[in-house]
Amino acid sequence: MAKLGRELRAKGVDVIDLSLGEPDFNTPEHIKEAAKKAIDENWSHYPPVAGYPDLREAVCVKLKRDNDLDYKPENIVVSTGAKQSLANAVLATVDAGDEVIIPTPYWVTYSEIVRLGDATPKLIKTCAETKYKLSPQELEKNITDKTKLFIFSSPCNPTGTVYTKDELKALADVFEKHPNVFIISDEIYEYINFIGRHESIAQFSKIKDRVIIINGLSKGYAMTGYRLGYIAAQADVAKACEKLQGQFTSGANAVTQRAAITALLSDLRPTKEMVDEFERRRQRVMELLKEIPGIECAIPDGAFYIFPIIKSFFGKSDGETAIQNSSDLSMYLLNKAHVSTVAGNAFGDDDCIRISFANSMQNIEKGFSRIKEALMKLK
Ligand code: PLP
């Protein structure tokens, strides 16, 4: 969609991009200053594969400060983005033939990396009625002798679902009975949470050793282009990730790592201001959505997406374009409304589309007005 949107824009069409997966904010000034200082101080040599020791220490400080979790630098591996951390963690834990449980809707990279590791993704459908949360019963039912790994995100991309402490505890109780299963907890949207405190499943001591936290600076600090992610995991898993990364890419960008220390150890005010703005937009997006007949949507508790159910438009047409699935609808909105969104089938749920509110209020207003007009033509 991003590519098609760019192509249309190159032809002079005014496309409003509501498919964005990154904050539309600039990196805070003090972090940019730290990056400039790092260049001037000649942080230009190969960094250690797992990250500079003081950065790994800063990650531990952050995990204690924000999550009350105790980790040592030996538990931390810094990578070129949470995506690489995820790839390292999956490839370090799965073998050919293993099964990996992934609740859907999910971020599509999860299943693709699992396949790359010759393991089999086992997708478990969750639905809007339960706020797209996996129940402990469903989890238990799907664990087999072959299950090696479970992957989920909270806050979730694309649904914005945020698990509470009690809900995570219920899942942790199931994992406690299955000691061979690792848990990848993708917490990249940690700070973009509209309902209060972020909870990590790593807080449950009986399973902590098997939890691999994935996090990074992309979303919470508006630093997608800097490329900085990390894992926190038991030392053996961290070592395996370091080994893999040592062959794939080596250490993450040196300048980025120095800037990351500043980001992690400084006041979170710029992040909070960004999140306040996301919250205002979320409010407005939900109001605008109510004005469009045929769309249902749960209010997201985190991240910067809504994931509305649009299946009432299937089987309809504007006289030119027939809509049969989420891809058709997403393409229709791009071609006729000049608004880019992402089809739900990219996240394992064809009844929905993902609309991002990581765009200005003005563009959101304009985009929703165009979406409404285009959808009302479908009969
Ligand atoms: N995890 C989720 C759920 C994401 O949505 C993304 C980015 O879109 C990432 C991980 C990757 O983040 P990074 O930019 O740190 O690679």
Side-chain angles (χ1 to χ4, degrees), residues 94 173 254 379:
V94 303
D173 287 346
K379 306 279 182 239

Side-chain angles (χ1 to χ4, degrees), residues 35-48:
K36 290 178 204 169
K37 186 160 169 269
I39 292 174
D40 289 340
E41 287 176 358
N42 295 310
W43 290 90
S44 51
H45 298 276
Y46 283 130

Side-chain angles (χ1 to χ4, degrees), residues 86-101:
L86 177 76
N88 287 342
V90 171
L91 298 179
T93 47
V94 303
D95 291 311
D98 286 342
E99 285 177 0
V100 179
I101 296 179

Side-chain angles (χ1 to χ4, degrees), residues 210-226:
R210 288 184 278 130
V211 175
I212 306 168
I213 293 179
I214 308 271
N215 208 331
L217 274 59
S218 287
K219 318 285 176 175
Y221 296 94
M223 288 176 70
T224 47
Y226 279 72

Side-chain angles (χ1 to χ4, degrees), residues 21 81-83 107 110 153 157 186 188-189 218-219 227-228 305:
K83 189 179 256 189
W107 190 47
Y110 299 159
S153 62
N157 173 10
D186 182 345
I188 189 85
Y189 292 95
S218 287
K219 318 285 176 175
R227 312 305 304 131
L228 201 291
Y305 313 107

